[in-house]
Amino acid sequence: MLQKREKVLLLRTFQGRTLRIVREHYLRPSVPCNSPLCPRPAACRNDGKLLSGDVTHYMVPDWKVVQDYLEILEFPELKGIIFMQTACQAVQHQRGRRQYNKLRNLLKDARHDCVLFANEFQQSCYLPRERGESMEKWQTRSIYKAAVWYYHHCQDRMPIIMVTEDEEAVPQYGSETEGVFVISFKNYLDNFWPDLKAAHELCDSILQSRRERENESQESHRKEYPEHLPLEVLEAGIKSGRYIQGILNVNKHRAQIEAFVRLQGASSKDSGLVSDILIHGMKARNRSIHGDMVVVELLPKSDWKGRTVALCENDSDDKAPGESPSEPMPTGRVVGILQKNWRDYVVTFPSKEEVQSQGKNAQKILVTPWDYRIPKIRISTQQAEALQDFRVVVRIDSWESTSVYPNGHFVRVLGRIGDLEGEIATILVENNISVAPFSEAQMCKMPVNTPENPWKVSPEEERERRDLRKTHLVFSIDPKGCEDVDDTLSVRTLTNGNLELGVHIADVTHFVAPNSYVDIEAKTRATTYYLADRRYDMLPSILSSDLCSLLGGVDRYAVSIMWELDKTSYEIKEVWYGRTIIRSSYKLFYEAAQELLDGNFNIIDDIPEFRGLDERSRQAKLEELVWAVGKLTDIARHVRAKRDLCGALELEGVEVRVQLDEKKNIRDLIPKQPLEVHETVAECMILANHWVAKKIWESFPHQALLRQHPPPHQEFFSELRECAKAKGFFIDTRSNKTLADSLDNANDPDDPIVNRLLRSMATQAMSNALYFSTGSCAEEEFHHYGLALDKYTHFTSPIRRYADIIVHRLLMAAISKDKKTEVTENLFSNKDLEELCRHINNRNRAAQHSQKQSTELFQCMYFKDKDQETEERCIADGVIYSIRTNGVLVFIPRFGIKGAAYLKNKDGLVISCGPDSRSEWKPGSLQRFQNKITSTTTAGDSVTFHLFDHVTVRISVQASRCHSDTIRLEIMSNKPYMIPDTELLHQSAPLLKSDLVKEVTRSVEEAHLAQEVKGNIIQEDFQKYCQTKGRSLYTLLEEIRDLALLDVSDSHGI
Amino acid sequence: MAGLELLSDQGYRVDGRRAGELRKIQARMGVFSQADGSAYIEQGNTKALAVVYGPHEIRGSRSRALPDRALVNCQYSSATFSTGERKRRPHGDRKSCEMGLQLRQTFEAAILTQLHPRSQIDIYVQVLQADGGTYAACVNAATLAVLDAGIPMRDFVCACSAGFVDGTALADLSHVEEAAGGPQLALALLPASGQIALLEMDARLHEDHLERVLEAAARAARDVHTLLDRVVRQHVREASVLLGD
């Protein structure tokens, strides 16, 4: 039975009148207490997450503690936290949506031991506010009353500690009830968590930054920035079209001056603007930070500015002198921020000398974020000196209009500057990736597979599933040393003469139940993160490299798709989806499969499955396998040809793999080398993905997860078209078919690099492929541009992508729907799925960024150790692919590096090349044309660089303390680099593929040998973090495979 | 301030109810002795008074009389003090006229008008305090008043509103929930037969969700019926006790 109460609120209207509002408030005898000690769980309806039973006390934070120290309450070490509704509402009303959502996510997170108690709806906990009582006092009183009730509710069995910041509350309530203690937060941490150093440090730093802020607000400064407009004005302005809403994007290369606002939603249509809006200078940016959702007011046309086109250095606070910007574009200023998008930032404290020059205020220190796009942050801390050699995580607290820089507080230390682990941790934090090892709670739910207790196929599953162990020849083709085999293939002839092609994918969903701990963890990670030298798995290794991995010679559960194909035309006649049991016969690696395909049978010695067989059975088995591989390639070629007819694109992402030797030293940088077998496997996977996409979309038209690749914007192709024109090619970008054809035609027989560069430019112009829920898009938007398929999804790698797990569940539900059995799995609704897709897309982007950044890190480390004057590897051949006003952009095919090379240095000297084509710096001027740039010295010599010219460049590393190191290029000569004879072999492009593979493997072996002979100090340093050889090689090759399946890589220029 | 959270993660609404729970309903019949029938109802903080006259001869122009059934005349007004900010005109604005027409439609469907040809039934409803769900409160009050007047009806007419927030259907919206601007549906139900006397919604709602919102409103209307039935029985018991003396 509910009890009705009334709450009277006095509000002030916009006109300034007071308004009396009466709101009802219903109380009930029981609300869920979510405690395992509850005497009547049925009456309390405890159906959600429960507090854990193994805590010594429950902790009830006061409203002020929740508001200010939520970051500390997020520590997983703190257990048994009961958030009172009163405190949560205080956060909601006074701290805004961001903080409140953080609290909500914390409460929802099954891994964190905390619950919400709705004390204001409980009839014996509710306290009406008394006349004249301040809001703060009432909140503290309510929370205390609720804590006392909770204590009695659990039959006085669990002491409760209320943690408050209200100094009066401690003596007032402290000794009122036995078993309910009231202490201050600092006290609580000191007494109960003396060892939790991180929490103490964080607490100090929060306290200090708050104190600073209070001091500051008392002093009256002059305004540095105009105030933001109130929310109502902004919303009205957006509606009327006066203001424009968008996401702020800071230009990485001119972070101080240039930022762009990408328009969002309807506002772009109304205002008739097509391009982004330029925000020029920090003043106009008005305290917004990269990624914020801002509201912009356009400036009058006379104030519009153009974007800068010259190359420039990042760190100099440049006023690029005397250069002419491009034509003016819409320019605006920020008038308000709708949603702040602050995250954790990695920063570097200034070195000792810099601190002294900052001088006057030693406690407040300006730190420089690792990300160029983030402004410097003011931190108040005593530990500045101790922290100066470290990468440190900070958070921004506020940015007042009186302050030039935002205020923040210090959170934790990552590692030393320049140290590999520290730098990798930096990349992870900057991409918001958290990869703690799997906890015990997650692991204990996992099946075991040990020699004493081997995992077996259960009889029930054997009955449910179709058994392919005896009937099908199943094999996998993967990179050498691969541990997580998630796809296998089979092909056989049916009795009616038709062919049956099968794709068998690891049945991960059998082991990962929806909403289990492992599932939740996998959902948060969303993908396996591959960095240049390591990987962070999405699933625990017992699944990813054992039970879910379709290894050779063992029984495994799988989800299969089998097509019946016509024997000659390979038309698909019928398709079957379902759960199966398979036993993979061969675990081939790509190179071996390619050898078999080429009819080169020497490789069979490398295939372990053939060892220990007598000659006859070996011959028979070999024939069987060779037939299957050959047939598969045939089918794949046919399918591919059909897709090509519709205009599938073959795009080139110029990617380089870091080759690591045994001790994880960087041995070499190798561009990837495709084999035909890669394409065969990829084609089968694309086929499987396509058919699954069709199936789940038919069964669940509004809630299927598909992958779309929107057609690119035509204007992005203009650079590509112009570049191609320079070489006399015409690129038709009207559709994917014409683009694919004209890219194929744009082939310079003398220079294969041209085609690669054009393809990579086309890739850059593409939009990214995205996951989406079918309920929120029109059907014609489902199209996958790059693959030229009407529907596409990801199904084939459930071990390393969470999207595939969702698709597996959808497929299973679709199958049981067909069988008219009840759908047992509860699927996501369209809205939830859409949100999940957004999360996965986000994480994928983070994974790509981190992979790219870690590769760059390794590139820098590789060149850092080389003496650039003597080492011949530092001098390489480069191709000019873009022209700017003071330099050119150069691509180095040997290492896949793209970078800028200046033609005019800092002293204003320009480059000139003498008769021996050696370059020198001399005074002079530059002149830029459409397709070339001419540098003329005062003496009258001139040198011209055309697009696609080959030049010799020297690669060096520009070290940076606060940011990541960058590669620098310097033009040494305007002639192509003469490659020494030995290298020539490696360089010439139309080399036989198989030879190339041999070359790669040979160089790996050489590295291996070389390693045994010499060892230097740096290696010993690395040895500390060294991983097994298999692991690092595995990653290297795994990425190659990844690329083969990557639709379109998200590559950024410089 | 962050936007109001209409439905918390724990499933509570702003005022502490769960999604399907009604506000507190209190009602009385026969509040005026002058009129033929009258009733007063409180649904949470929405308070309404209904008065019924008739059936009686047609007042005013005779030509309005219907040969085969009674004319139902409904007037709705809401007191100037009923909302937070004082209203200018108690009745006669577009909204009140519309409400009057809706009430008339509802009751023409429920009252057995063919029993009283050439006569007129007047229903006057006044809202004293408005806190969401005024239409529902008016219908429920008028039902009790018509019953009090002893006019034969097919069944009770029970009305309730329902809304849709974050994928959940909420029954009996309060003013705060209405003001948030989500879709709102008003349903008048004849509970015994399950027939719908009036269904009104002037917001966009996806077809897939309509079923659920309708279901929530119907269940709430049945709950209202249980309560009104109790009020009527109580009233009859009191009246018969008086007669017995």
Side-chain angles (χ1 to χ4, degrees):
Chain A
M1 198 55 213
L2 300 186
Q3 283 182 11
K4 182 182 156 185
R5 296 289 170 88
E6 279 181 354
K7 269 205 239 176
V8 179
L9 303 169
L10 290 172
L11 296 180
R12 202 169 286 279
T13 61
F14 293 128
Q15 286 92 31
R17 277 181 293 166
T18 8
L19 197 64
R20 189 182 154 93
I21 289 179
V22 185
R23 274 195 198 157
E24 290 171 276
H25 189 86
Y26 288 93
L27 303 178
R28 55 185 73 233
S30 66
V31 297
C33 65
N34 296 322
S35 165
L37 297 176
C38 179
R40 296 177 306 275
C44 274
R45 297 216 273 172
N46 288 336
D47 45 3
K49 161 174 132 178
L50 288 186
L51 285 170
S52 69
D54 58 349
V55 290
T56 55
H57 63 272
Y58 290 145
M59 195 257 255
V60 177
D62 195 6
W63 60 278
K64 188 75 179 157
V65 174
V66 181
Q67 278 186 354
D68 289 348
Y69 299 108
L70 187 60
E71 287 171 42
I72 299 177
L73 299 179
E74 279 173 355
F75 274 78
E77 286 89 352
L78 300 189
K79 288 186 166 186
I81 305 177
I82 304 165
F83 288 102
M84 292 298 168
Q85 186 193 8
T86 314
C88 294
Q89 272 173 358
V91 172
Q92 189 190 3
H93 292 312
Q94 288 162 29
R95 279 293 185 268
R97 195 177 307 161
R98 232 172 75 83
Q99 187 121 4
Y100 183 60
N101 280 341
K102 245 166 119 180
L103 179 58
R104 274 176 61 184
N105 290 336
L106 192 65
L107 286 165
K108 270 191 233 162
D109 191 342
R111 292 165 293 176
H112 202 273
D113 190 25
C114 63
V115 294
L116 181 120
F117 179 65
N119 64 319
E120 292 194 18
F121 298 144
Q122 217 287 341
Q123 63 189 29
S124 32
C125 288
Y126 176 68
L127 286 174
R129 196 165 143 197
E130 278 162 14
R131 251 169 201 282
E133 189 181 29
S134 75
M135 191 73 177
E136 288 80 23
K137 286 276 170 233
W138 170 74
Q139 285 171 340
T140 308
R141 195 160 64 97
S142 300
I143 290 172
Y144 179 71
K145 170 107 192 244
V148 171
W149 181 88
Y150 204 96
Y151 175 65
H152 293 312
H153 178 72
C154 295
Q155 299 175 318
D156 304 358
R157 280 186 291 174
M158 184 64 84
I160 288 187
I161 296 170
M162 173 167 161
V163 182
T164 181
E165 282 291 277
D166 186 353
E167 276 149 25
E168 289 168 33
V170 178
Q172 188 185 347
Y173 299 119
S175 50
E176 209 180 282
T177 322
E178 207 181 322
V180 182
F181 306 95
V182 182
I183 55 175
S184 76
F185 190 63
K186 191 88 190 101
N187 220 331
Y188 175 77
L189 281 185
D190 288 344
N191 289 330
F192 289 89
W193 305 99
D195 306 330
L196 203 54
K197 200 159 154 268
H200 283 275
E201 278 174 5
L202 190 54
C203 179
D204 288 342
S205 112
I206 293 174
L207 261 178
Q208 196 156 11
S209 77
R210 200 175 65 198
R211 219 172 292 140
E212 291 289 332
R213 226 178 310 146
E214 275 161 13
N215 290 342
E216 220 162 79
S217 57
Q218 285 158 10
E219 301 163 29
S220 61
H221 283 287
R222 69 188 180 85
K223 291 248 151 81
E224 297 285 345
Y225 298 102
E227 288 295 338
H228 291 153
L229 298 175
L231 189 64
E232 300 86 38
V233 179
L234 293 180
E235 277 174 355
I238 293 167
K239 250 183 205 159
S240 67
R242 188 166 163 221
Y243 301 140
I244 298 156
Q245 172 187 344
I247 304 259
L248 186 83
N249 249 313
V250 176
N251 185 340
K252 197 166 143 196
H253 303 283
R254 273 166 288 272
Q256 296 292 321
I257 37 175
E258 269 187 14
F260 298 94
V261 171
R262 186 150 302 156
L263 302 177
Q264 262 196 327
S267 57
S268 60
K269 278 178 222 147
D270 301 341
S271 53
L273 289 169
V274 276
S275 70
D276 296 349
I277 297 171
L278 175 70
I279 308 287
H280 193 268
M282 289 301 278
K283 202 110 191 165
R285 211 180 295 167
N286 196 357
R287 291 175 278 152
S288 52
I289 293 177
H290 175 79
D292 285 354
M293 191 190 287
V294 295
V295 179
V296 182
E297 182 182 41
L298 276 185
L299 295 174
K301 252 198 180 123
S302 54
D303 292 346
W304 284 11
K305 294 192 167 70
R307 70 168 79 199
T308 353
V309 277
L311 299 167
C312 71
E313 306 273 328
N314 256 316
D315 35 18
S316 56
D317 31 351
D318 33 288
K319 293 276 183 294
E323 57 117 333
S324 56
S326 64
E327 60 183 276
M329 60 184 289
T331 308
R333 63 182 187 92
V334 173
V335 291
I337 302 177
L338 282 183
Q339 201 179 349
K340 288 177 181 145
N341 206 0
W342 298 348
R343 55 178 172 88
D344 290 3
Y345 299 105
V346 177
V347 300
T348 312
F349 276 81
S351 61
K352 211 176 250 167
E353 307 82 66
E354 290 170 71
V355 174
Q356 272 155 6
S357 69
Q358 277 188 10
K360 57 183 191 286
N361 206 338
Q363 296 222 330
K364 283 186 203 160
I365 290 156
L366 274 183
V367 295
T368 317
W370 188 82
D371 190 342
Y372 286 107
R373 298 169 295 194
I374 310 299
K376 288 186 176 170
I377 300 167
R378 205 148 37 141
I379 302 286
S380 37
T381 175
Q382 322 277 25
Q383 310 174 46
E385 223 154 277
L387 293 174
Q388 57 177 323
D389 291 329
F390 290 92
R391 297 262 188 241
V392 171
V393 179
V394 301
R395 275 177 208 154
I396 299 182
D397 296 319
S398 64
W399 196 348
E400 305 302 331
S401 59
T402 52
S403 140
V404 186
Y405 295 108
N407 292 316
H409 66 266
F410 153 75
V411 180
R412 70 193 154 100
V413 174
L414 286 178
R416 278 191 181 275
I417 295 170
D419 175 59
L420 180 67
E421 291 304 305
E423 298 295 332
I424 294 274
T426 302
I427 292 173
L428 292 180
V429 169
E430 279 293 318
N431 288 298
N432 240 329
I433 298 171
S434 95
V435 279
F438 290 93
S439 73
E440 258 174 57
Q442 289 157 353
M443 291 308 294
C444 71
K445 295 275 173 61
M446 288 291 99
V448 281
N449 188 15
T450 51
E452 304 91 62
N453 189 5
W455 178 85
K456 279 198 208 80
V457 172
S458 78
E460 299 99 68
E461 291 294 332
E462 207 163 354
R463 237 172 293 127
E464 297 268 313
R465 290 166 184 266
R466 189 160 153 187
D467 195 342
L468 307 180
R469 285 174 288 188
K470 304 254 159 53
T471 49
H472 288 64
L473 174 77
V474 177
F475 57 94
S476 62
I477 306 179
D478 278 291
K480 217 173 191 172
C482 178
E483 291 169 348
D484 53 350
V485 185
D486 39 21
D487 44 72
T488 52
L489 299 160
S490 71
V491 64
R492 64 167 185 170
T493 316
L494 295 175
T495 42
N496 61 3
N498 285 343
L499 288 169
E500 186 190 58
L501 170 66
V503 170
H504 316 278
I505 307 296
D507 192 359
V508 174
T509 51
H510 174 81
F511 297 100
V512 180
N515 290 325
S516 62
Y517 280 136
V518 172
D519 185 51
I520 292 169
E521 183 64 37
K523 195 192 287 171
T524 354
R525 296 191 182 194
T527 168
T528 294
Y529 296 96
Y530 294 93
L531 301 189
D533 64 329
R534 64 191 78 189
R535 66 171 206 265
Y536 293 102
D537 284 327
M538 185 179 80
L539 295 171
S541 61
I542 175 80
L543 292 184
S544 61
S545 55
D546 193 353
L547 293 182
C548 287
S549 181
L550 305 173
L551 304 167
V554 281
D555 293 349
R556 288 286 180 256
Y557 296 148
V559 178
S560 301
I561 310 174
M562 290 197 268
W563 296 272
E564 190 181 331
L565 307 172
D566 189 273
K567 55 190 161 229
T568 47
S569 66
Y570 298 146
E571 284 301 318
I572 292 169
K573 304 213 142 172
E574 217 163 301
V575 57
W576 180 88
Y577 308 87
R579 287 190 139 137
T580 50
I581 301 180
I582 61 161
R583 180 186 289 162
S584 170
S585 314
Y586 302 99
K587 183 165 168 279
L588 300 175
F589 48 97
Y590 282 120
E591 291 76 20
Q594 185 65 44
E595 296 281 328
L596 291 179
L597 202 59
D598 297 342
N600 190 351
F601 297 135
N602 297 333
I603 195 80
I604 55 170
D605 297 330
D606 285 356
I607 302 173
E609 284 85 352
F610 284 125
R611 281 187 208 134
L613 288 174
D614 63 275
E615 195 56 42
R616 270 224 347 262
S617 58
R618 184 157 141 174
Q619 204 55 42
K621 289 216 163 182
L622 182 62
E623 259 168 42
E624 189 186 24
L625 181 62
V626 169
W627 177 84
V629 174
K631 205 73 198 166
L632 210 60
T633 312
D634 239 23
I635 297 171
R637 253 184 232 140
H638 183 81
V639 175
R640 167 87 208 187
K642 233 173 28 189
R643 220 153 49 75
D644 278 343
L645 274 184
C646 309
L649 288 174
E650 188 162 358
L651 295 170
E652 179 88 29
V654 186
E655 300 280 343
V656 163
R657 303 300 92 191
V658 180
Q659 187 190 345
L660 300 164
D661 59 30
E662 191 189 14
K663 288 227 160 64
K664 263 192 59 198
N665 240 340
I666 304 143
R667 156 79 197 163
D668 205 348
L669 304 169
I670 311 173
K672 65 156 186 171
Q673 299 298 342
L675 299 175
E676 197 191 357
V677 174
H678 285 136
E679 211 170 272
T680 305
V681 175
E683 202 55 50
C684 292
M685 296 306 136
I686 291 171
L687 190 69
N689 286 336
H690 173 56
W691 279 85
V692 171
K694 276 212 285 206
K695 175 79 189 166
I696 58 174
W697 173 73
E698 274 161 17
S699 302
F700 305 103
H702 299 306
Q703 53 201 63
L705 187 153
L706 298 190
R707 191 169 169 85
Q708 72 184 150
H709 182 208
H713 294 287
Q714 286 299 322
E715 55 263 36
F716 294 159
F717 280 128
S718 55
E719 197 188 344
L720 169 69
R721 275 196 296 257
E722 237 141 69
C723 285
K725 219 188 280 165
K727 271 282 171 185
F729 299 124
F730 173 69
I731 304 283
D732 187 350
T733 56
R734 276 171 307 180
S735 77
N736 47 3
K737 172 103 180 85
T738 57
L739 180 61
D741 290 347
S742 47
L743 277 178
D744 284 343
N745 291 334
N747 205 348
D748 187 343
D750 303 331
D751 194 356
I753 303 291
V754 173
N755 192 266
R756 272 177 76 186
L757 268 178
L758 288 177
R759 282 184 196 275
S760 95
M761 276 181 199
T763 314
Q764 274 184 45
M766 299 283 167
S767 4
N768 286 330
L770 294 170
Y771 297 110
F772 70 103
S773 161
T774 47
S776 50
C777 263
E779 200 183 329
E780 48 276 13
E781 287 169 34
F782 294 180
H783 193 77
H784 197 291
Y785 180 87
L787 296 175
L789 290 171
D790 55 347
K791 281 168 204 80
Y792 189 67
T793 189
H794 271 166
F795 168 73
T796 49
S797 296
I799 297 180
R800 55 192 182 87
R801 289 189 302 230
Y802 192 72
D804 300 50
I805 293 186
I806 298 289
V807 171
H808 272 243
R809 291 193 185 133
L810 280 165
L811 182 68
M812 288 306 127
I815 293 170
S816 46
K817 197 175 169 190
D818 286 351
K819 287 186 192 149
K820 298 281 190 295
T821 50
E822 210 163 291
V823 180
T824 46
E825 314 207 30
N826 41 354
L827 299 169
F828 284 101
S829 71
N830 177 36
K831 203 178 136 206
D832 295 342
L833 190 61
E834 191 56 39
E835 190 159 330
L836 182 65
C837 288
R838 209 169 301 133
H839 166 74
I840 296 178
N841 288 332
N842 233 325
R843 295 288 80 205
N844 274 344
R845 221 166 292 140
Q848 278 173 2
H849 285 170
S850 56
Q851 189 178 359
K852 185 165 164 261
Q853 283 163 355
S854 70
T855 312
E856 280 165 3
L857 174 69
F858 273 86
Q859 278 174 352
C860 289
M861 290 187 133
Y862 173 69
F863 287 111
K864 208 173 193 172
D865 300 338
K866 307 270 187 265
D867 178 5
Q868 40 166 301
E869 294 303 325
T870 53
E871 181 74 47
E872 45 100 2
R873 276 178 202 267
C874 288
I875 298 170
D877 185 53
V879 183
I880 298 173
Y881 72 96
S882 181
I883 305 241
R884 299 290 153 95
T885 52
N886 62 348
V888 290
L889 301 185
V890 177
F891 169 65
I892 302 170
R894 170 78 178 80
F895 302 112
I897 295 174
K898 283 180 177 174
Y902 294 87
L903 298 182
K904 190 182 212 169
N905 67 7
K906 276 187 182 143
D907 311 327
L909 302 178
V910 299
I911 205 161
S912 83
C913 295
D916 59 343
S917 77
R918 286 268 154 203
S919 67
E920 296 170 85
W921 296 104
K922 284 183 181 164
S925 62
L926 288 177
Q927 205 176 2
R928 183 195 168 188
F929 303 96
Q930 178 99 34
N931 291 325
K932 58 183 179 183
I933 183 162
T934 308
S935 143
T936 318
T937 59
T938 39
D941 308 331
S942 75
V943 58
T944 307
F945 294 95
H946 290 93
L947 219 49
F948 295 116
D949 269 0
H950 283 254
V951 292
T952 306
V953 288
R954 175 187 291 141
I955 305 161
S956 60
V957 173
Q958 187 174 25
S960 159
R961 215 177 86 82
C962 302
H963 308 283
S964 55
D965 296 345
T966 41
I967 294 275
R968 262 187 79 152
L969 303 179
E970 204 180 320
I971 294 183
M972 294 184 64
S973 144
N974 60 348
K975 294 281 178 306
Y977 178 51
M978 282 308 136
I979 306 141
D981 289 347
T982 47
E983 288 265 321
L984 198 64
L985 190 77
H986 198 278
Q987 276 281 301
S988 54
L991 210 62
L992 272 177
K993 279 177 182 168
S994 46
D995 287 351
L996 258 177
V997 177
K998 279 183 199 147
E999 181 74 19
V1000 173
T1001 35
R1002 206 194 66 210
S1003 65
V1004 173
E1005 272 156 26
E1006 268 173 15
H1008 190 70
L1009 285 175
Q1011 202 54 53
E1012 283 169 1
V1013 182
K1014 62 173 179 179
N1016 56 31
I1017 307 150
I1018 312 159
Q1019 280 165 359
E1020 275 159 26
D1021 241 13
F1022 274 118
Q1023 200 151 27
K1024 211 160 72 185
Y1025 312 108
C1026 116
Q1027 290 170 314
T1028 59
K1029 180 186 174 213
R1031 180 95 183 251
S1032 50
L1033 253 183
Y1034 161 73
T1035 349
L1036 165 77
L1037 292 157
E1038 174 65 23
E1039 278 165 69
I1040 294 178
R1041 187 178 72 132
D1042 243 28
L1043 280 166
L1045 291 174
L1046 208 65
D1047 315 338
V1048 170
S1049 62
D1050 166 53
S1051 41
H1052 294 264
I1054 55 157
Chain B
M1 190 181 93
L4 206 56
E5 196 180 32
L6 290 183
L7 189 68
S8 75
D9 293 329
Q10 285 71 33
Y12 292 110
R13 291 155 70 172
V14 180
D15 52 12
R17 287 183 288 155
R18 287 186 182 275
E21 286 172 347
L22 293 178
R23 291 177 290 176
K24 191 175 179 67
I25 294 185
Q26 281 177 308
R28 248 179 76 196
M29 292 167 73
V31 285
F32 298 120
S33 41
Q34 170 75 45
D36 293 320
S38 61
Y40 169 75
I41 195 164
E42 283 186 11
Q43 278 186 274
N45 280 340
T46 302
K47 298 171 187 179
L49 197 57
V51 177
V52 171
Y53 293 93
H56 55 72
E57 262 182 72
I58 297 275
R59 303 251 163 87
S61 127
R62 294 256 159 194
S63 57
R64 279 166 61 215
L66 302 167
D68 56 339
R69 57 194 168 95
L71 177 78
V72 179
N73 174 33
C74 289
Q75 268 189 25
Y76 164 91
S77 66
S78 95
T80 51
F81 49 81
S82 64
T83 48
E85 279 188 273
R86 211 175 158 79
K87 283 176 58 161
R88 284 274 170 73
R89 264 170 78 175
H91 55 82
D93 56 345
R94 201 189 66 89
K95 230 180 114 189
S96 333
C97 294
E98 197 182 304
M99 190 70 96
L101 282 173
Q102 284 176 1
L103 283 174
R104 180 175 164 173
Q105 254 185 16
T106 313
F107 281 93
E108 273 177 349
I111 295 174
L112 298 170
T113 45
Q114 68 276 21
L115 296 181
H116 309 283
R118 296 174 182 284
S119 49
Q120 179 180 355
I121 298 169
D122 290 320
I123 303 175
Y124 300 108
V125 190
Q126 172 130 38
V127 170
L128 302 176
Q129 192 173 333
D131 188 32
T134 42
Y135 169 76
C138 291
V139 171
N140 296 336
T143 307
L144 292 179
V146 172
L147 285 169
D148 186 37
I151 298 170
M153 289 212 285
R154 287 194 175 80
D155 190 4
F156 281 75
V157 204
C158 297
C160 197
S161 61
F164 190 72
V165 170
D166 296 338
T168 318
L170 305 183
D172 196 14
L173 300 189
S174 70
H175 176 69
V176 188
E177 289 160 341
E178 279 183 4
Q184 188 199 350
L185 173 145
L187 171 79
L189 190 77
L190 305 178
S193 58
Q195 282 174 315
I196 291 173
L198 186 107
L199 176 67
E200 194 232 351
M201 182 170 71
D202 41 353
R204 286 161 66 98
L205 177 70
H206 196 276
E207 197 187 347
D208 292 356
H209 306 312
L210 181 66
E211 191 80 11
R212 271 154 63 206
V213 181
L214 203 56
E215 178 56 33
R219 200 178 312 121
R222 287 205 183 84
D223 291 345
V224 170
H225 174 245
T226 325
L227 289 167
L228 295 189
D229 191 62
R230 203 180 293 159
V231 171
V232 173
R233 284 176 199 281
Q234 178 71 24
H235 178 72
V236 171
R237 204 173 303 133
E238 278 166 16
S240 59
V241 167
L242 282 177
L243 284 176
D245 286 340

